[in-house]
Amino acid sequence: MIGSTRRLAVYAYGQPCDMRKSYDALSGLVTQELGRDFLSGDVFLFVGRDRKRAKALFWDGTGLCLYAKRLEKGRFAPLWQPERDKQPLVLTVSELALFLEGSELVGRAPLSPAPYTLAPLFQPEAASAVTS
């Protein structure tokens, strides 16, 4: 299982990928197409054209891991971006787990809420504007 004690980022390759590619070819896609370092410890996700197969490339600190999954029923969610949008789709680890289980919702809409920002409870400027 893909796991870590630190926060992981998951980047999905935005085009259908040839599932015959190996460690070296996929790490080349990460470097050249996604502009990322495959040794960063992040997870890089690739989906085949028929969406029956997916691969996840991951550096665990001691070596490069390649996880592959083939669905027997259904298809993986299409994580492909339009040609004009070269930015990879960024998923959370929870969204990765849903994707690997075959959920169709991943990639269509953000499944994780935006990070929470703290607002001050007391604003002195607002209190002085209130008159009795």
Side-chain angles (χ1 to χ4, degrees):
M1 181 62 197
I2 299 171
S4 175
T5 56
R6 69 175 190 84
R7 185 173 179 203
L8 287 176
V10 180
Y11 298 97
Y13 184 63
Q15 299 172 7
C17 185
D18 183 358
M19 289 291 101
R20 296 174 291 180
K21 292 186 184 283
S22 64
Y23 297 92
D24 297 327
L26 292 175
S27 62
L29 285 178
V30 170
T31 304
Q32 294 174 356
E33 298 291 327
L34 298 179
R36 299 275 175 194
D37 180 16
F38 62 91
L39 299 178
S40 65
D42 295 328
V43 178
F44 300 96
L45 192 57
F46 303 91
V47 181
R49 184 173 306 282
D50 64 356
R51 296 182 11 228
K52 287 282 199 181
R53 291 182 171 92
K55 288 185 177 180
L57 188 68
F58 176 74
W59 175 263
D60 70 351
T62 61
L64 203 54
C65 301
L66 185 61
Y67 297 98
K69 183 166 185 178
R70 181 183 69 197
L71 289 178
E72 293 300 320
K73 292 183 181 178
R75 298 185 187 281
F76 287 110
L79 301 178
W80 306 319
Q81 301 293 321
E83 283 296 320
R84 65 184 182 280
D85 187 14
K86 288 291 189 180
Q87 295 298 321
L89 182 63
V90 180
L91 306 173
T92 64
V93 175
S94 300
E95 291 169 336
L96 173 65
L98 283 173
F99 173 81
L100 292 175
E101 290 173 3
S103 174
E104 287 285 330
L105 298 175
V106 177
R108 291 190 180 173
L111 298 178
S112 298
Y116 183 73
T117 57
L118 295 176
L121 294 176
F122 179 71
Q123 298 173 345
E125 300 85 28
S128 63
V130 176
T131 58
S132 354

